[in-house]
Amino acid sequence: MESICPIDQRCTSQISALLRPTSPPEVQEYFEQLISKRGCRGIKVKQDGEFGKGIYAELDFGEEELILKDQMLAGAQHTSNKIDCLVCSHCFQFIGSMELQIGRKLYLRSLGVSSNNQCSIEMFSHTTEGCSDTDSSDEEENFYMKDHGSSQSGASCSSKSSPLPKEVLESLINGNLVLPYSNKFPLPSVVSCPGGCEEAHYCSKSCAEADWQLFHSLLCTGEKSDTLSREALSKFIQHANETNDIFLLAAKAISSTILRYRKLKATLSKEGQKTEPYTFSSCDVSLLLEAWKPISIGHKRRWWDCIALPDDVDDSDEATFRMQIRELAFTSLQLLKEAIFEKECEPLFSLEIYGHIIGMFELNNLDLVVASPVEDYFLYVDDLPSPEKEEAEKITQAYLNALGDDYSVCCQGTAFFPLQSCMNHSCCPNAKAFKREEDRDGQATIIAIRPICKGEEITISYIDEDLPFEERQALLADYGFRCRCAKCLEEEQCQPHSLRVPHRETRHDSKLEL
């Protein structure tokens, strides 16, 4: 039986207002302000009646030239990745030290923490604070001397973890043991969550404060949280970790809108323009719409309508699958509502709005990837001249063997980038999302892959553009459009007439980078 959301029935007009397409002048103004604020040079967002928004070059760009660095509107590290990588919860750069990154990962493994067991990761934060400082240098020295005769050249390692003494790992975590040449790879110190939770960590006070003001004050499970119920919030987070962490992004979108609404309301009250308590009059809807504007700009469809049908689901079961997805979203929404519901922002907690928010992320998100300094560290040691390399490897090889093939795991997650999401697809793109050596945080980086002339649209590929024509079109159908780039039009002419598919005029803002 289909679950009914009472807020959908109670707030029909407000929901319609929130989902109404933003007018072209408003869209233009929003992106011009955003481009100016970001300091982006040489690009402009334009609207096309056929394809929606697109990004166009205002200057000539050379091959491999940086086009854009875009800060995310909302992003999240995958839960399964949190064991391998300790990163700032706001900017997603690696934090702590080389010793902490390596010791923490190995310590969690030794505790038997699974990649989906967030509670165990949180317990680890408390456990390591009380790690013993007992002098175990003799035991460490004996341990380091094992298997040195079998050290292999290059940053290679066994796929199986080697056992390491607990005391060694604790010394790494506590900073009592320093690895050779780790000072060549300094990382920002770990700053705790201002709300007191053990789930969020930051690279600086500025990142901690920014995240608190944008989202985290409502989504913190610590004692200083503004959430209605820390218990309910924990249940919501657990449900998202066990099902789909895209719900965490939806929660961030709703939280940020509520916090912007509060700020706008406080500003009006301070200016003496509003003294009575807020109710849903037309003026208040306008205030909510203003707070909602960063979300309103993104292309949306309901999640259960736009999610691609998995390969193991038969076409005959599609309706059942989509209903199950809707029910999953409804369960998540009910848990979130118990945690952070705000009456003045009630429409945000409708299933219709929740479904469209998740759908926006489903259709527009990029993979969030930040390269690991741990990999760089072991490669650095491997490139040392002899005898420095042999001396360093007497210590480092044991850790490399213990890490196994996971020594190079990078920070992985998903994020929505407002400017990048305006980039349309082409199977013969002139740009790509590509992290350079210096790009060590979660920002999206777009690089030209060939010269781009002023006035030319900047395009990326949402898929592997080297796939055959039929496979590309099948993958792009999941995004809701049929590609008509020059490459596809040319290859379509070579297809048998019976295989040609009529063109559909659909909007296709940038989607998930595969």
Side-chain angles (χ1 to χ4, degrees):
M1 182 177 177
E2 183 176 330
S3 299
I4 305 240
C5 179
I7 298 177
D8 282 317
Q9 299 174 320
R10 192 160 55 241
C11 301
T12 305
S13 60
Q14 293 94 331
I15 293 169
S16 296
L18 289 170
L19 293 178
R20 189 176 300 126
T22 308
S23 68
E26 287 182 302
V27 171
Q28 199 70 41
E29 179 184 10
Y30 174 81
F31 281 110
E32 285 177 1
Q33 292 177 351
L34 189 63
I35 288 172
S36 176
K37 182 179 179 181
R38 298 275 171 87
C40 300
R41 180 175 168 271
I43 61 170
K44 187 178 183 66
V45 176
K46 296 182 181 179
Q47 298 221 82
D48 183 293
E50 184 177 1
F51 296 129
K53 300 186 292 291
I55 289 188
Y56 291 79
E58 292 280 281
L59 299 171
D60 293 339
F61 288 97
E63 184 177 351
E64 297 187 0
E65 186 175 351
L66 174 68
I67 297 173
L68 166 68
K69 287 198 75 171
D70 194 11
Q71 296 175 355
M72 65 186 69
L73 181 68
Q77 182 184 11
H78 291 317
T79 302
S80 59
N81 184 246
K82 291 182 178 180
I83 287 178
D84 294 309
C85 306
L86 179 63
V87 300
C88 175
S89 298
H90 184 66
C91 72
F92 298 94
Q93 68 173 312
F94 281 74
I95 56 177
S97 65
M98 198 59 56
E99 289 80 5
L100 177 60
Q101 290 288 339
I102 294 171
R104 174 182 175 274
K105 181 189 294 192
L106 295 175
Y107 193 93
L108 286 168
R109 283 188 188 174
S110 72
L111 294 178
V113 178
S114 68
S115 60
N116 290 321
N117 193 340
Q118 182 65 17
C119 292
S120 295
I121 297 177
E122 293 163 27
M123 288 174 60
F124 165 77
S125 300
H126 297 290
T127 302
T128 55
E129 290 176 2
C131 283
S132 171
D133 292 333
T134 302
D135 183 6
S136 55
S137 57
D138 292 340
E139 182 178 355
E140 291 169 19
E141 183 175 349
N142 291 335
F143 164 72
Y144 293 143
M145 295 305 295
K146 295 177 182 178
D147 293 329
H148 297 320
S150 61
S151 295
Q152 300 176 18
S153 177
S156 59
C157 47
S158 168
S159 61
K160 295 183 179 180
S161 298
S162 302
L164 293 172
K166 179 181 177 182
E167 293 79 8
V168 173
L169 301 181
E170 290 175 350
S171 294
L172 272 181
I173 294 165
N174 291 328
N176 296 328
L177 177 63
V178 178
L179 297 175
Y181 301 101
S182 64
N183 61 339
K184 302 290 185 181
F185 300 87
L187 299 176
S189 298
V190 178
V191 175
S192 300
C193 165
C197 77
E198 297 295 343
E199 300 158 17
H201 307 279
Y202 301 96
C203 66
S204 64
K205 288 185 177 180
S206 59
C207 263
E209 291 169 0
D211 202 50
W212 184 262
Q213 294 172 9
L214 286 170
F215 320 104
H216 197 59
S217 58
L218 287 178
L219 299 175
C220 176
T221 56
E223 293 181 357
K224 298 180 183 178
S225 173
D226 289 342
T227 184
L228 293 175
S229 168
R230 290 159 59 193
E231 182 181 357
L233 182 59
S234 295
K235 290 181 180 179
F236 166 78
I237 294 171
Q238 181 180 357
H239 178 264
N241 288 336
E242 293 174 349
T243 56
N244 195 323
D245 52 14
I246 202 169
F247 295 140
L248 300 176
L249 289 185
K252 283 191 172 186
I254 291 174
S255 297
S256 64
T257 304
I258 291 172
L259 293 171
R260 278 192 296 269
Y261 176 88
R262 288 180 182 177
K263 190 173 182 179
L264 289 168
K265 175 182 172 181
T267 300
L268 290 178
S269 297
K270 186 176 181 180
E271 294 173 353
Q273 298 180 25
K274 197 78 178 178
T275 58
E276 298 297 324
Y278 274 63
T279 57
F280 275 110
S281 64
S282 58
C283 179
D284 298 315
V285 172
S286 297
L287 197 64
L288 187 59
L289 287 171
E290 181 64 24
W292 170 256
K293 185 174 289 185
I295 309 297
S296 71
I297 300 300
H299 176 49
K300 299 177 193 64
R301 290 169 59 198
R302 289 187 302 191
W303 184 43
W304 45 90
D305 292 334
C306 68
I307 188 172
L309 197 67
D311 292 338
D312 59 351
V313 176
D314 192 85
D315 290 346
S316 61
D317 297 324
E318 180 174 357
T320 300
F321 167 77
R322 298 199 180 281
M323 181 60 67
Q324 291 172 342
I325 292 296
R326 182 187 182 279
E327 292 299 308
L328 184 64
F330 184 75
T331 299
S332 172
L333 176 61
Q334 294 306 105
L335 293 170
L336 182 63
K337 181 182 174 184
E338 290 181 27
I340 66 169
F341 179 74
E342 186 147 332
K343 179 63 178 176
E344 293 180 37
C345 299
E346 185 177 28
L348 299 178
F349 295 90
S350 69
L351 185 57
E352 189 71 9
I353 291 293
Y354 198 59
H356 276 82
I357 291 173
I358 302 171
M360 180 183 79
F361 293 132
E362 180 76 24
L363 292 171
N364 294 277
N365 272 18
L366 265 181
D367 291 337
L368 191 165
V369 177
V370 183
S372 171
V374 175
E375 178 181 19
D376 295 337
Y377 170 71
F378 284 114
L379 291 174
Y380 177 87
V381 171
D382 184 54
D383 287 339
L384 287 170
S386 299
E388 288 91 340
K389 176 181 176 180
E390 287 80 1
E391 190 65 26
E393 284 186 339
K394 289 179 182 179
I395 297 175
T396 62
Q397 190 65 42
Y399 295 104
L400 185 60
N401 290 340
L403 289 169
D405 293 336
D406 292 339
Y407 82 100
S408 62
V409 172
C410 58
C411 170
Q412 298 172 357
T414 183
F416 176 85
F417 299 90
L419 288 172
Q420 175 276 326
S421 71
C422 296
M423 289 185 172
N424 284 316
H425 164 84
S426 173
C427 294
C428 47
N430 54 23
K432 65 178 179 178
F434 178 77
K435 288 290 184 73
R436 303 164 299 172
E437 182 63 29
E438 64 265 34
D439 298 320
R440 292 290 179 162
D441 59 17
Q443 294 185 80
T445 306
I446 305 297
I447 305 292
I449 56 177
R450 63 172 174 77
I452 300 174
C453 299
K454 180 180 179 179
E456 187 178 352
E457 183 177 8
I458 300 170
T459 58
I460 60 176
S461 179
Y462 307 163
I463 60 170
D464 180 357
E465 63 268 28
D466 294 327
L467 290 171
F469 173 78
E470 297 90 343
E471 291 185 41
R472 297 201 311 272
Q473 295 297 339
L475 288 172
L476 292 169
D478 291 336
Y479 294 115
F481 70 93
R482 182 172 180 79
C483 184
R484 288 180 283 172
C485 69
K487 180 177 180 178
C488 285
L489 290 176
E490 179 181 352
E491 292 181 8
E492 186 177 28
Q493 298 305 313
C494 301
Q495 301 296 311
H497 190 273
S498 59
L499 295 179
R500 297 181 190 177
V501 180
H503 294 310
R504 294 183 296 173
E505 294 188 0
T506 55
R507 181 181 187 282
H508 59 286
D509 287 340
S510 182
K511 313 301 187 296
L512 176 66
E513 180 188 55
L514 299 178

